[in-house]
Amino acid sequence: MTSSIRTTVHESLPYIDQDPTPAERTAAEAQIAAELSSSSPPSLPSPPPPNFSPLITAELERISKKEPLKAIDLSRYEIQDTPPPSLTSPSSLLPPLSLAYTTHTYLQGRQTNLSLLDAYGKNAWLVANWQSEAVLAALERDLAAAKREVDVVNIQRRRLQDEVGEELRGLEETWKRGVGRVIETEIATEALRHQVLERQRGGA
C-alpha cells in the first residue's frame, strides 16, 4: 500500500502547468530519493511455518523426487493376453475374466465416445467457437465504450482547464506582484530603519 502511494502521480492541471525543466526535475527526484532513503516501509512479518497434512507431504516428496504419479492403475485397461492352457480351474480363470470384462467395458465406452465425437464433435466445436467469438466481441465493445468514456472525460477536463487557465495565470501574476511588493516594502523598511539609526547615532 505504501509503495503504491509513493509511486502515484497526480496531474491536477496537466494542460495549464508548464513542464519542469531538466534541472527542476533532477532536483525534485533527488529530494524524493533522499526522502525514500530516510524512511523505509515497515517490514512484513515472517510467514508461519507450513502445516501440511501427511498426504500433501507425501505428494510434495514425490514431486521433489520427480517420481511419476501412480494414482490410477492403467494396466486394468490394457488388452489382456490369452490365459495359458494350463489354467483350467474356475478359480484360476476368474482374475483374467474380471480383467477382460473391465477392458471390454473401457473399450466399449471409448468406442461410444469416439462415435459421439465423430457425429457431434464438429458442431460442438463450431458452437464453442461462436460463443467464444461472441464473448470476445462483447469484451471489445465494453473496451471501446470505456475508451470513449475516458476520451470524453479528458476532453471535458481539458476544456474546463482551458476555461479557467487565463484566470489562474492572472491570479498567479497578481500573487507574484503582491509578493514582490511585500519584499520591496520590507527592503524599504529596512533601509529606513538603518537611516534612522544612523541619524540617531549622528545626533548623539
Side-chain angles (χ1 to χ4, degrees), residues 181-191:
R181 291 172 182 173
V182 170
I183 295 175
E184 292 175 356
T185 303
E186 291 180 353
I187 293 174
T189 303
E190 188 67 19

Side-chain angles (χ1 to χ4, degrees), residues 9-171:
V9 178
H10 299 283
E11 295 180 345
S12 300
L13 301 172
Y15 304 108
I16 297 178
D17 293 338
Q18 296 181 356
D19 293 334
T21 62
E24 292 173 346
R25 183 178 293 274
T26 302
E29 291 177 351
Q31 293 181 0
I32 293 173
E35 180 67 21
L36 292 178
S37 62
S38 62
S39 61
S40 58
S43 58
L44 297 176
S46 57
N51 186 17
F52 298 127
S53 64
L55 183 61
I56 297 297
T57 303
E59 181 64 16
L60 292 176
E61 291 178 356
R62 182 194 66 78
I63 295 175
S64 63
K65 295 178 181 178
K66 298 182 179 180
E67 296 178 353
L69 180 63
K70 299 180 181 179
I72 301 176
D73 184 12
L74 300 179
S75 61
R76 69 180 65 183
Y77 302 110
E78 298 175 355
I79 299 177
Q80 304 297 322
D81 298 331
T82 304
S86 59
L87 297 178
T88 55
S89 61
S91 59
S92 61
L93 292 175
L94 186 59
L97 182 61
S98 177
L99 290 176
Y101 277 130
T102 302
T103 303
H104 173 72
T105 303
Y106 171 72
L107 294 177
Q108 187 177 14
R110 287 285 296 169
Q111 184 178 4
T112 302
N113 291 333
L114 290 175
S115 61
L116 291 174
L117 183 62
D118 184 53
Y120 306 105
K122 180 180 179 180
N123 293 334
W125 179 72
L126 293 175
V127 170
N129 286 345
W130 176 80
Q131 292 176 345
S132 299
E133 290 177 356
V135 172
L136 177 60
L139 292 176
E140 289 178 347
R141 287 193 300 270
D142 294 341
L143 178 60
K147 288 182 177 179
R148 287 194 299 269
E149 292 178 359
V150 171
D151 293 338
V152 170
V153 171
N154 288 333
I155 292 173
Q156 294 176 350
R157 183 185 185 189
R158 180 162 192 171
R159 185 175 66 249
L160 292 174
Q161 292 186 18
D162 290 339
E163 290 175 355
V164 299
E166 293 299 329
E167 181 181 358
L168 288 176
R169 282 187 283 268
L171 293 174

